[in-house]
Amino acid sequence: MINDSALLESRTLRHSVMDRTDVLDRVKALSLLPDGMHVTTAMVATYFEVSRKAIESLVLDHRTELVANGYRVLSGTELTSFKEVSGIQSRSRSLALYPRRAVLNVAMLLRDSEVARQARVYLLDMEYLARTQPVENSPQPDIATLHARIDDRIDQRITHILGKTVVPMFNALIETAGEHQRELIVLRTGVQHIERRLRQHHTRLRRLESPRQERPLAGVMAAMDAMTGREFEHHIATLLRRDGCTDIAVLGRHGDRGVDITALTADGRRLAVQCKRFAPHLRITSPELQKFVGSARVLYASDVALYVATCRFTPEALSIAAEAGITAVHRTLLERWDAGEMLTVLK
């Protein structure tokens, strides 16, 4: 499984993705100097949400690599000329400049920055997608794979029969059962419980049996960022179904009253989900969380509520989520969930 630490350790790997500077603006808007080409050390520190000292220390350790990607320090007449051309105002006798390649280089070297980590994840996502695009004349599945697919269909068929045939049969019998009505209701409840547990067991078994390396993190976030809002909602519904949820309904764009998906968890709790496919550099704010709290708890009477976003949450929004019992599925948690790690609240 490829993870972002690979870029921290391998200069060869960093060099292979150095042209993908567009990743910077996908993760967070990068402000440039008036020349439209460079940023200063202070601007780099602001972008990565770290101290200036952290950037200066990184430059000290990796100066040769950064210089190879355009980093340079101006002084003397060269600095004077740059100030005249760019319009920058500075009394400093020297000025460090970073082109976009050097800023991306910093992202692949800076350990203690969530922004840098997201940039590394995005780079590996793009590489993974590029390497896994379907090609013509792909090989046919082997016998073991075909048997696994058949077993999967049998399990799905059993749960389908329980939910769509046996339970309705009990419903019909209960209406005309008279003195045996109570016993039939108990039996129906038992069948519904078995159905839910079978779905949950099958989902967990498949996750345990599949090798972890077959569920890489790479490719996860780039694929979701490329989705439309509607596609993202259906993708989240697929994850819920994978983790044993039933009665999943993806609500329409109009009239959803602040909730995008409703469902039942594997153990029968009412679930409400809000989905936001936002750009990675944006944030979910407290007013958005407050609106969802009202919709999920009051309008939908949910037992479990998820606010799923492809970006991060402001500290105020996280505080409201914690107080209201809302699970904030931020970008990092969503990445792990999509890769196969079940959300704690759904277990």
Side-chain angles (χ1 to χ4, degrees):
M1 178 182 67
I2 301 175
N3 62 45
D4 67 284
S5 63
L7 287 168
L8 293 168
E9 306 300 333
S10 172
R11 183 170 180 173
T12 300
L13 183 57
R14 292 195 294 272
H15 179 74
S16 71
V17 295
M18 195 58 71
D19 291 331
R20 298 188 180 274
T21 56
D22 59 302
V23 163
L24 296 170
D25 288 312
R26 290 177 180 269
V27 173
K28 181 181 178 182
L30 176 64
S31 299
L32 299 171
L33 288 172
D35 70 344
M37 297 174 58
H38 297 93
V39 295
T40 64
T41 301
M43 295 168 73
V44 174
T46 298
Y47 177 82
F48 289 111
E49 300 175 7
V50 298
S51 67
R52 177 168 179 158
K53 185 177 180 180
I55 300 300
E56 291 173 342
S57 176
L58 183 143
V59 171
L60 188 63
D61 292 337
H62 302 278
R63 188 181 187 90
T64 301
E65 183 176 343
L66 288 164
V67 168
N69 286 300
Y71 169 82
R72 58 187 177 133
V73 179
L74 304 183
S75 60
T77 57
E78 191 177 20
L79 175 57
T80 302
S81 299
F82 181 78
K83 290 179 180 179
E84 292 175 354
V85 172
S86 66
I88 187 173
Q89 301 295 320
S90 173
R91 294 182 180 180
S92 176
R93 295 183 179 181
S94 63
L95 181 67
L97 294 179
Y98 304 71
R100 294 175 68 88
R101 282 177 66 94
V103 177
L104 184 61
N105 199 169
V106 171
M108 290 187 276
L109 293 167
L110 189 59
R111 294 179 180 273
D112 299 325
S113 165
E114 176 62 18
V115 176
R117 193 194 76 83
Q118 289 293 345
R120 292 193 294 271
V121 169
Y122 218 117
L123 283 167
L124 292 174
D125 283 350
M126 296 171 70
E127 283 297 293
Y128 175 80
L129 290 177
R131 288 186 285 103
T132 56
Q133 291 298 315
V135 296
E136 295 182 1
N137 302 320
S138 57
Q140 295 298 311
D142 57 25
I143 296 299
T145 301
L146 290 174
H147 280 305
R149 292 178 181 175
I150 292 171
D151 290 341
D152 183 50
R153 290 173 185 171
I154 291 173
D155 285 338
Q156 291 177 1
R157 185 62 178 164
I158 291 172
T159 53
H160 177 80
I161 291 172
L162 288 174
K164 301 300 182 181
T165 304
V166 177
V167 172
M169 179 185 69
F170 273 111
N171 291 338
L173 289 172
I174 287 168
E175 292 180 1
T176 59
E179 61 179 306
H180 298 292
Q181 187 178 69
R182 180 173 297 178
E183 289 87 346
L184 287 169
I185 290 174
V186 172
L187 286 173
R188 181 187 64 182
T189 302
V191 170
Q192 290 174 319
H193 177 72
I194 291 170
E195 178 196 2
R196 287 195 299 269
R197 297 300 295 177
L198 180 59
R199 288 181 184 275
Q200 186 178 33
H201 170 74
H202 177 59
T203 299
R204 290 178 177 174
L205 185 62
R206 290 182 64 189
R207 186 164 53 249
L208 289 171
E209 289 179 342
S210 61
R212 188 163 181 82
Q213 61 268 27
E214 293 181 3
R215 298 181 273 108
L217 295 179
V220 169
M221 297 314 300
M224 278 191 272
D225 288 336
M227 295 177 184
T228 65
R230 191 64 172 166
E231 288 170 342
F232 181 59
E233 291 170 6
H234 282 280
H235 182 67
I236 297 305
T238 300
L239 296 182
L240 294 170
R241 190 173 295 109
R242 181 200 71 188
D243 289 344
C245 294
T246 60
D247 293 345
I248 298 171
V250 180
L251 306 178
R253 283 295 188 190
H254 304 288
D256 64 8
R257 301 191 295 176
V259 169
D260 294 318
I261 303 173
T262 59
L264 293 176
T265 63
D267 57 2
R269 292 169 293 162
R270 289 187 297 274
L271 172 67
V273 185
Q274 175 67 281
C275 303
K276 292 295 183 184
R277 199 215 57 75
F278 282 178
H281 66 275
L282 298 179
R283 298 289 185 274
I284 300 300
T285 62
S286 56
E288 293 169 306
L289 240 301
Q290 292 171 19
K291 178 182 176 182
F292 177 61
V293 170
S295 297
R297 298 305 191 198
V298 178
L299 298 180
Y300 288 87
S302 65
D303 302 306
V304 180
L306 308 179
Y307 200 116
V308 184
T310 56
C311 60
R312 289 184 281 172
F313 292 68
T314 64
E316 294 80 8
L318 289 174
S319 178
I320 290 172
E323 291 175 5
I326 305 296
T327 300
V329 184
H330 50 77
R331 187 175 179 87
T332 302
L333 182 55
L334 174 59
E335 176 186 322
R336 297 201 302 265
W337 184 27
D338 194 296
E341 182 178 319
M342 192 174 186
L343 296 178
T344 301
V345 74
L346 297 180
K347 293 180 180 179

